[in-house]
Amino acid sequence: MKFVSWNVNGLRACLKKNFIKSFKFLDADIFALQETRMLEGQAILDIDGYSQYWNSAEKKGYSGTAIFTRVQPRSVNYGIGIAEHDTEGRVITLGFSDFYFVNVYTPNSRRKLERLDYRMTWENAFRAYLEKLDAVKPVIICGDLNVAHQEIDLTNPASNRHNAGFTDDERGKFSELLNSGFTDTFRYLYPDKKDAYTWWSNFQNSRERNIGWRIDYFLASDRIAEKISAATIEPQILGSDHCPVTLEIF
């Protein structure tokens, strides 16, 4: 089974940049989007063979997630069941016979870290939510987690040490999540691979120079890590400041 995750940084804009062509090229069984910034129905997505699930933020043009799936889920859940965390359209969970699939767009701590405290509260609540799911059956988590976990995951770790996405607090919470029973699927296959990034600033030709961050992930419950057959980053696919990431399991 093949999964794809992509922060499209505004789906309506991405649709004008060959989104449908990229969608078909990637040919996923389950395709997850983050930062859709739209309500279902605000754009026409003619994608045959896929059921669509949308979780939009109450604030128009902000955040939002969506999942397109060829495989019919047994259950669908929006949010994590905590009111203060469920107004921004950040989580969709699909339940299948053998696993849960969770699409997440983690809150950004923002430039001056003004949302870092909230981010820490979110991290604890989201981890607890995943642990409850994992107690029932394995979980596959994907999305923009808004953190570069290790120094290998961004070009300039020293100068970004106290910036949003690479603070000790955020990296520590990611470690806590992994330590609670989850595997970073890309690092499982490529523990030492450098220059593998999923997001690039729009300034100073960062993407062309590959000055980036790896902040988009597929995680999986430790007990199904041995089923990982492929995990890729697709920087050649344009349309957003992020690129798609993929996971294949057997």
Side-chain angles (χ1 to χ4, degrees):
M1 181 173 281
K2 182 178 181 180
F3 308 89
V4 172
S5 175
W6 192 7
N7 179 322
V8 291
N9 192 17
L11 182 54
R12 284 172 290 181
C14 197
L15 282 166
K16 299 175 183 178
K17 302 174 183 177
N18 293 317
F19 171 80
I20 297 297
K21 182 178 179 180
S22 297
F23 184 98
K24 291 178 178 178
F25 170 78
L26 289 165
D27 193 29
D29 296 297
I30 300 177
F31 202 123
L33 306 180
Q34 305 88 41
E35 206 170 356
T36 54
R37 297 191 188 178
M38 60 175 278
L39 301 174
E40 182 180 4
Q42 282 190 303
I44 298 173
L45 280 82
D46 184 15
I47 304 176
D48 291 336
Y50 289 85
S51 298
Q52 302 182 20
Y53 301 93
W54 296 77
N55 191 7
S56 301
E58 292 180 1
K59 180 181 177 181
K60 291 183 179 179
Y62 179 73
S63 187
T65 49
I67 300 177
F68 301 80
T69 177
R70 287 174 174 153
V71 186
Q72 193 65 28
R74 293 187 172 188
S75 62
V76 182
N77 187 64
Y78 300 99
I80 61 174
I82 301 175
E84 70 172 304
H85 298 313
D86 288 346
T87 64
E88 297 181 350
R90 293 190 176 275
V91 178
I92 304 174
T93 302
L94 302 186
F96 298 95
S97 59
D98 297 327
F99 64 94
Y100 288 108
F101 182 83
V102 180
N103 179 24
V104 60
Y105 177 37
T106 299
N108 192 304
S109 297
R110 296 183 179 166
R111 185 176 296 273
K112 294 183 179 180
L113 303 181
E114 63 260 33
R115 217 180 185 199
L116 181 60
D117 288 345
Y118 171 72
R119 168 74 176 264
M120 296 297 99
T121 302
W122 158 274
E123 293 279 3
N124 291 335
F126 184 60
R127 186 177 67 255
Y129 173 74
L130 296 177
E131 288 172 344
K132 287 181 180 179
L133 295 179
D134 191 48
V136 178
K137 53 189 167 184
V139 186
I140 296 170
I141 307 116
C142 75
D144 176 359
L145 273 64
N146 261 317
V147 61
H149 184 215
Q150 304 291 353
E151 291 190 355
I152 195 176
D153 294 317
L154 73 168
T155 306
N156 296 310
S159 61
N160 283 292
R161 176 71 182 277
H162 302 292
N163 290 340
F166 198 60
T167 63
D168 291 346
D169 291 333
E170 292 163 311
R171 295 169 65 196
K173 289 299 180 184
F174 192 89
S175 293
E176 287 182 34
L177 177 56
L178 295 182
N179 292 337
S180 68
F182 298 97
T183 295
D184 177 345
T185 62
F186 183 79
R187 286 290 171 223
Y188 179 81
L189 295 181
Y190 309 105
D192 303 313
K193 188 174 180 62
K194 298 180 180 180
D195 303 319
Y197 307 128
T198 66
W199 174 81
W200 303 264
S201 167
N202 288 318
F203 297 105
Q204 299 180 333
N205 298 313
S206 295
R207 188 162 189 163
E208 291 80 359
R209 298 160 62 202
N210 199 28
I211 299 174
W213 299 48
R214 189 175 74 97
I215 59 175
D216 301 88
Y217 297 84
F218 270 100
L219 310 180
S221 295
D222 287 346
R223 63 189 181 278
I224 60 169
E226 62 184 13
K227 296 181 178 293
I228 299 166
S229 58
T232 70
I233 295 172
E234 305 291 339
Q236 78 282 2
I237 295 181
L238 306 178
S240 169
D241 53 352
H242 296 248
C243 73
V245 295
T246 79
L247 171 67
E248 294 182 46
I249 62 172
F250 60 84

